[in-house]
Amino acid sequence: MSAENGIFEEPVSKKRRLDSTKEKPKTKKKHIPVFRLKPTGETASLFLSSEERVPLVLTDIQHLLLHSLFGNLNLTQPPRWYTIDKCNHITQTTCLIIEGISIQDWENYQDMLKSTHKIFDSAVEVLTPSVYNGSLVKEMALVPLSENEKETLIQKYGSMNLALEVRKDLMVMMKAVFPIRDEITGSVDVRRLDEKFPRTQLMLSAWQLIDENYPVPLKGKLQNVYADYVMTKEEYSPVTAESPMFGLDCEMCLTKAGSELTRVSIVNEKHETVYESFVKPYNQIMDYLTQYSGITEELLRDVTKRLEDVQKEIQELLPSDAILVGQSLNSDLHALRLMHPYIIDTSLIYNFTGERYRKPKLKTLAKEYLKEEIQTGTDGHCSVEDSLASLKLVQLKLSKSVEFGDAVHTKRQKYKEEVNKMVTEPHYALSIFNHIIEQKKTSVIIGCDNITGDYHTFLTQAKESLSTQLKKGKPKRVKLNTVDSMDEVITTLTESVKNYNLVMGHLKLEASEDDTKLMQTVDGWVETVWNSIQESAICVIVFGGTVNGNGVAMMKVKT
């Protein structure tokens, strides 16, 4: 007791004893996965206006499903449009696809989709096959895989997202972006006798074109940006392993309006120059950039050809299935104000560092692999020389292997070897491949007979192809559950979420006389599905779009 203030003080030992009785037992920290959009995902977000958005493609949604199913183990590079913190702690994946609803429906019937809007804080615009009368089933059929298939695919390709790219039809999403005819005159896969693999394997996919800032004819933000661009053809033929390659390179100068075209060169596979032209910019030239471009005032003095003349001549020159080859060709196409679907970019197929974003210089590639010195003079680059070097680099790679000269592939190969080693060592297998080996659960697709019949066709084809490639026994069957009504699809889906790693419900809506009531029904389905999934499960809802409008994808991890 303190004599000065009359307050009793407890002995120190007693205070310690009381504190110890108040200590709470330590609770195990929960690892809750968190989904977030990256900048690429944010530019597709429905929170932006349609003029500002750049849509994702269905492959992006497939990558999310695969990532959520198989964890970070199967990523050879980070996802381009989202991140999932603690992804390996996702307990289950549920996906509901509803065909017949577009982004316009999402915007026009907000009052009827109140629960859907309340549940999902991440919603993005997606370019879907419905826009070009393609098959959404065909697109999604490659995703649901049994655990057996996952293991064999990982052994074959090193990762699931790489396997998806290898197996995917190159034309499927490209047709959503460019006007491409259906007929095929040659094989995409059959290589030429002097090539070790099909040249189509080196081409950029539709989403890579968007990601690498190539001009593409999409609606929304990009439509405004590329308003004065033209396509190299009004209509394209499907690309095949026999499609011709052309090396292309441009030189630019600096005008009052920015960077403008001054020279363009195109070479063919015989290393012949098939097109060469100087171009007179409309705006006043501030800097000829002679040290880089080789262009001088004297060279352009008598030139009368303008950008639109060059565009027209290139359109007439190139065949409808031409593959353009170049080093960081996006800058050349921007200078030309041209859009083209079939691109091989040497800055992306060759790599020294093992990190794709660190691109090598053409001069370095030519010296290392072609044993040629280019860009050596003091008078600037030569567009013929540069376009030829790019084409030679692609031809060299085709004569070697996909991995040749690419440290990203080399890194992936080492990763693949480590995975194979882990698969053959049971001690590691149970801990690392817990989803693959320990659980042994298959995926289930639920739909009415107008849906599951199509899935059965594509899955059978995919599995037969898979079995042949892997020289294994017939892979485990993915379960297809056919029910009588759309309400029953939802009921069966909610009953299945505890028994399968991936549950996919797929509905195809028919035209309705009362769209308001239909949207209320859809909203109820989405809420029912969300309420049925367990903690730390991810739920992905896809509105499949229509011929008149893109689709919507919503995703959220339940916490």
Side-chain angles (χ1 to χ4, degrees):
M1 179 176 177
S2 169
E4 296 176 348
N5 53 27
I7 297 173
F8 285 98
E9 289 187 349
E10 295 173 340
V12 173
S13 58
K14 188 175 181 182
K15 284 174 72 175
R16 283 178 183 165
R17 192 162 54 247
L18 283 171
D19 287 346
S20 65
T21 60
K22 292 180 182 178
E23 284 181 8
K24 295 181 180 178
K26 289 184 178 179
T27 55
K28 190 176 180 181
K29 188 179 178 182
K30 284 188 177 182
H31 297 284
I32 305 295
V34 178
F35 176 91
R36 288 181 288 111
L37 292 175
K38 285 184 175 180
T40 302
E42 287 173 352
T43 59
S45 172
L46 298 192
F47 292 111
L48 297 178
S49 68
S50 59
E51 292 77 22
E52 295 177 294
R53 287 196 299 266
V54 179
L56 300 178
V57 294
L58 204 56
T59 306
D60 291 317
I61 308 305
Q62 287 177 311
H63 283 165
L64 170 61
L65 294 176
L66 290 168
H67 188 189
S68 68
L69 276 169
F70 313 133
N72 293 323
L73 172 67
N74 300 284
L75 289 182
T76 52
Q77 57 190 35
R80 78 183 191 105
W81 64 280
Y82 70 89
T83 59
I84 303 180
D85 299 331
K86 298 183 174 63
C87 178
N88 292 334
H89 292 279
I90 285 181
T91 53
Q92 193 266 345
T93 302
T94 293
C95 178
L96 176 62
I97 301 164
I98 306 177
E99 293 193 51
I101 305 180
S102 70
I103 195 165
Q104 285 79 13
D105 296 317
W106 162 273
E107 293 168 345
N108 295 338
Y109 293 99
Q110 290 194 30
D111 290 341
M112 306 302 114
L113 295 168
K114 285 183 178 177
S115 295
T116 304
H117 280 267
K118 185 178 179 181
I119 293 166
F120 294 98
D121 43 23
S122 294
V124 293
E125 181 176 356
V126 181
L127 198 63
T128 63
S130 303
V131 175
Y132 54 97
N133 284 319
S135 169
L136 194 66
V137 172
K138 184 177 180 180
E139 288 283 286
M140 300 304 294
L142 296 180
V143 175
L145 299 169
S146 69
E147 306 301 330
N148 249 8
E149 288 172 306
K150 285 187 280 184
E151 182 185 334
T152 50
L153 274 173
I154 288 169
Q155 289 187 61
K156 173 72 174 178
Y157 296 111
S159 81
M160 279 307 309
N161 56 349
L162 179 61
L164 179 67
E165 290 303 317
V166 170
R167 296 167 63 204
K168 216 168 153 47
D169 176 7
L170 188 65
M171 286 299 95
V172 171
M173 285 313 297
M174 201 67 86
K175 281 183 181 176
V177 182
F178 287 90
I180 299 172
R181 293 192 294 270
D182 287 331
E183 74 270 10
I184 296 179
T185 55
S187 171
V188 176
D189 299 317
V190 177
R191 58 183 171 80
R192 296 186 175 196
L193 291 175
D194 57 341
E195 296 177 0
K196 295 292 176 64
F197 59 95
R199 53 184 59 184
T200 49
Q201 282 192 26
L202 297 179
M203 282 173 43
L204 296 182
S205 66
W207 70 261
Q208 284 176 309
L209 289 177
I210 298 167
D211 209 35
E212 293 293 335
N213 192 32
Y214 276 82
V216 291
L218 285 178
K219 294 177 182 178
K221 182 181 180 181
L222 295 184
Q223 187 176 30
N224 300 327
V225 173
Y226 305 141
D228 60 341
Y229 286 52
V230 297
M231 283 187 278
T232 50
K233 288 288 176 186
E234 287 185 5
E235 191 176 46
Y236 298 92
S237 301
V239 71
T240 73
E242 298 168 349
S243 296
M245 297 188 299
F246 295 87
L248 184 148
D249 189 70
C250 296
E251 303 299 344
M252 279 75 87
C253 69
L254 198 61
T255 71
K256 281 190 172 182
S259 179
E260 287 194 57
L261 183 71
T262 52
R263 183 184 180 188
V264 56
S265 304
I266 301 176
V267 298
N268 65 14
E269 292 187 54
K270 295 179 182 178
H271 303 171
E272 301 165 336
T273 302
V274 294
Y275 186 81
E276 170 73 18
S277 180
F278 289 104
V279 189
K280 191 174 186 69
Y282 279 108
N283 297 287
Q284 182 184 342
I285 297 174
M286 310 299 293
D287 189 342
Y288 285 88
L289 302 176
T290 306
Q291 69 272 34
Y292 305 111
S293 68
I295 302 297
T296 63
E297 183 178 0
E298 186 179 354
L299 282 173
L300 294 184
R301 183 171 292 127
D302 299 324
V303 174
T304 57
K305 192 172 286 187
R306 298 290 192 176
L307 175 64
E308 60 267 27
D309 301 318
V310 172
Q311 289 174 335
K312 188 175 180 181
E313 288 169 354
I314 291 176
Q315 286 172 327
E316 292 171 353
L317 170 73
L318 294 177
S320 59
D321 64 338
I323 301 171
L324 292 183
V325 173
Q327 173 81 2
S328 297
L329 201 55
N330 54 329
S331 59
D332 301 283
L333 291 175
H334 282 298
L336 285 161
R337 296 290 193 271
L338 284 176
M339 296 183 278
H340 189 79
Y342 310 137
I343 302 292
I344 298 177
D345 189 332
T346 47
S347 74
L348 294 170
I349 63 171
Y350 282 91
N351 188 276
F352 293 117
T353 64
E355 296 170 345
R356 188 63 78 200
Y357 65 90
R358 298 178 66 179
K359 298 178 180 180
K361 292 183 178 179
L362 182 62
K363 181 176 181 177
T364 310
L365 291 175
K367 184 175 183 179
E368 177 70 22
Y369 297 111
L370 301 178
K371 309 303 178 190
E372 293 181 8
E373 297 282 350
I374 64 169
Q375 305 171 358
T376 54
T378 56
D379 298 330
H381 299 182
C382 170
S383 52
V384 173
E385 182 182 57
D386 289 356
S387 60
L388 189 56
S390 295
L391 188 63
K392 285 180 178 178
L393 283 164
V394 172
Q395 290 173 323
L396 176 64
K397 193 177 185 78
L398 288 168
S399 71
K400 302 289 186 181
S401 68
V402 174
E403 293 82 11
F404 178 78
D406 190 353
V408 174
H409 267 287
T410 307
K411 198 173 179 181
R412 184 182 290 138
Q413 186 62 33
K414 288 179 181 176
Y415 162 87
K416 190 166 126 182
E417 288 168 3
E418 288 299 313
V419 169
N420 281 332
K421 190 189 295 182
M422 289 186 287
V423 169
T424 55
E425 294 177 13
H427 177 70
Y428 295 102
L430 283 175
S431 58
I432 296 172
F433 291 92
N434 58 324
H435 284 300
I436 297 170
I437 293 171
E438 191 177 29
Q439 294 183 20
K440 295 283 184 187
K441 292 179 183 175
T442 56
S443 309
V444 62
I445 304 169
I446 306 156
C448 300
D449 55 7
N450 65 342
I451 285 289
T452 53
D454 291 341
Y455 270 109
H456 182 268
T457 302
F458 291 119
L459 283 170
T460 303
Q461 290 172 355
K463 286 181 177 182
E464 285 173 355
S465 169
L466 194 61
S467 299
T468 305
Q469 287 177 21
L470 303 178
K471 295 180 181 178
K472 297 267 183 181
K474 193 172 182 179
K476 258 190 177 180
R477 188 182 184 88
V478 174
K479 185 171 181 182
L480 293 174
N481 196 336
T482 305
V483 295
D484 296 326
S485 68
M486 289 189 285
D487 285 332
E488 200 174 342
V489 170
I490 302 301
T491 303
T492 309
L493 185 150
T494 59
E495 292 169 352
S496 303
V497 293
K498 294 179 182 177
N499 302 319
Y500 296 91
N501 288 337
L502 170 65
V503 175
M504 185 184 290
H506 196 138
L507 300 171
K508 186 180 286 187
L509 300 182
E510 303 296 336
S512 171
E513 294 180 0
D514 189 348
D515 287 340
T516 300
K517 186 176 179 181
L518 180 63
M519 290 302 151
Q520 287 176 328
T521 302
V522 168
D523 193 48
W525 288 340
V526 172
E527 185 177 20
T528 300
V529 170
W530 174 255
N531 290 337
S532 72
I533 67 171
Q534 56 192 288
E535 185 180 347
S536 296
I538 189 168
C539 183
V540 179
I541 308 292
V542 178
F543 290 171
T546 64
V547 290
N548 298 316
N550 284 339
V552 176
M554 298 156 273
M555 58 292 299
K556 189 173 184 178
V557 176
K558 194 164 191 179
T559 57

